[in-house]
């Protein structure tokens, strides 16, 4: 795993590093995650756990800012562990790693309350994008996961809300589906982050959804992107 240590997490320069708990049962994957994330100056690894039960215990004890959570864990899977962590520590961000083997697993992951969903084994840069989105208060859905979800849903059926999106909102929506965080979208469209946040709120209101993950699903189902 390689890591660009200058990859932005959009934290204030004087902010304390994000305290990260890694929950992963594969020793090699755990080591790779630890080494890669430790290389980033805005991240601090405060603990590791090899199953979901120990992951919940560690989270309750350490109260990390962020949990990187595998789905396929012994004793207690990552979906159930995430639900317990988010119920007890709603301010803790959870980035879920999935091998997206089945549509059932993906749907369960989407309903677990995690803030971001990444393909297991993806580049560290993709994982950092997910972390950045979660920290920014947004939800991140890996494009591969989003498209697998759509395969399990009914055929596209445009809704009356979809036609209300402006051209700029459609641009922003496409980049949201591609997994870009608000600051990344702002940079790509040469707009301010606050302007992008306004567009994202407008998109979610018009599509009648609560978060970016739902917006991505609606966009793909409706053929908007």
């Amino acid at each position: 795993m390689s890591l660009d240590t200058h990859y932005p997490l959009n934290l204030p320069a004087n902010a304390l590093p994000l305290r990260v708990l890694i929950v992963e049962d594969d020793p090699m994957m755990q080591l790779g995650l630890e080494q890669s994330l430790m290389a980033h100056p805005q991240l601090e690894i405060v603990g590791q756990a090899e199953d979901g039960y120990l992951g919940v215990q560690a989270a309750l004890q350490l109260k990390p800012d962020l949990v990187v959570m595998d789905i396929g864990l012994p004793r207690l899977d990552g979906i159930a562990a995430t639900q317990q962590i988010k119920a007890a520590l709603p301010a803790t961000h959870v980035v879920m790693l999935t091998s997206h083997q089945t549509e059932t697993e993906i749907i369960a992951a989407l309903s677990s309350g995690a803030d971001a969903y990444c393909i297991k084994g993806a580049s560290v840069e993709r994982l950092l994008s997910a972390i950045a989105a979660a920290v920014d208060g947004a939800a991140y859905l890996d494009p591969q996961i989003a498209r697998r979800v759509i395969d399990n849903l009914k055929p596209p059926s445009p809704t009356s809300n979809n036609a209300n999106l402006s051209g700029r909102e459609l641009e922003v929506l496409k980049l949201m589906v591609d997994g870009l965080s608000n600051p990344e979208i702002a940079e790509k469209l040469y707009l301010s982050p606050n302007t992008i946040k306004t567009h994202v709120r407008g998109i979610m209101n018009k599509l009648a959804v609560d978060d970016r993950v739902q917006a991505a699903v609606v966009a793909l189902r409706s053929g908007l992107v």
Side-chain angles (χ1 to χ4, degrees):
M1 292 176 126
S2 62
L3 176 65
D4 176 1
T5 57
H6 298 291
Y7 194 94
L9 288 182
N10 308 299
L11 298 179
N14 60 348
L16 294 174
L18 289 174
R19 302 171 68 254
V20 180
L21 169 66
I22 297 173
V23 186
E24 168 61 59
D25 65 320
D26 182 334
M28 294 303 295
M29 184 72 178
Q30 187 181 85
L31 179 62
L33 285 169
E34 179 184 13
Q35 291 180 340
S36 296
L37 296 181
M38 279 179 61
H40 198 291
Q42 292 180 301
L43 299 175
E44 176 189 359
I45 308 301
V46 296
Q48 298 188 33
E50 62 269 15
D51 67 51
Y53 177 76
L54 293 176
V56 173
Q57 284 191 322
L60 294 178
Q61 178 183 357
L62 298 169
K63 295 179 172 56
D65 302 306
L66 178 81
V67 179
V68 178
M69 174 79 71
D70 184 21
I71 285 185
L73 295 168
R75 294 215 284 175
L76 185 70
D77 67 40
I79 293 170
T82 295
Q83 291 171 334
Q84 292 186 26
I85 291 171
K86 294 296 285 188
L89 303 169
T92 294
H93 303 295
V94 178
V95 174
M96 184 168 282
L97 301 178
T98 174
S99 55
H100 67 96
Q101 294 179 354
T102 69
E103 283 77 10
T104 301
E105 181 183 70
I106 296 170
I107 296 298
L110 290 172
S111 63
S112 70
D115 302 279
Y117 310 86
C118 263
I119 297 296
K120 191 172 184 179
S123 68
V124 177
E125 286 74 18
R126 179 64 62 86
L127 177 57
L128 287 172
S129 289
I131 292 173
V135 171
D136 192 45
Y140 175 95
L141 180 64
D142 189 288
Q144 293 182 56
I145 297 177
R147 295 181 192 283
R148 288 290 297 274
V149 170
I150 302 313
D151 291 340
N152 200 43
L153 298 175
K154 64 183 182 181
S157 56
T159 67
S160 59
N161 285 335
N162 295 342
N164 294 331
L165 293 178
S166 68
R168 179 64 82 186
E169 286 172 335
L170 286 171
E171 284 184 291
V172 172
L173 180 60
K174 181 181 184 305
L175 295 174
M176 288 166 58
V177 171
D178 288 340
L180 274 66
S181 66
N182 284 2
E184 290 173 323
I185 296 174
E187 182 178 357
K188 197 170 188 68
L189 297 182
Y190 303 102
L191 297 171
S192 74
N194 285 337
T195 298
I196 297 303
K197 286 183 180 180
T198 299
H199 284 312
V200 170
R201 282 196 298 268
I203 290 167
M204 292 192 295
N205 287 336
K206 290 181 180 181
L207 296 183
V209 298
D210 297 323
D211 59 44
R212 292 164 67 108
V213 172
Q214 294 176 16
V217 170
V218 170
L220 290 168
R221 282 184 60 185
S222 304
L224 285 170
V225 298

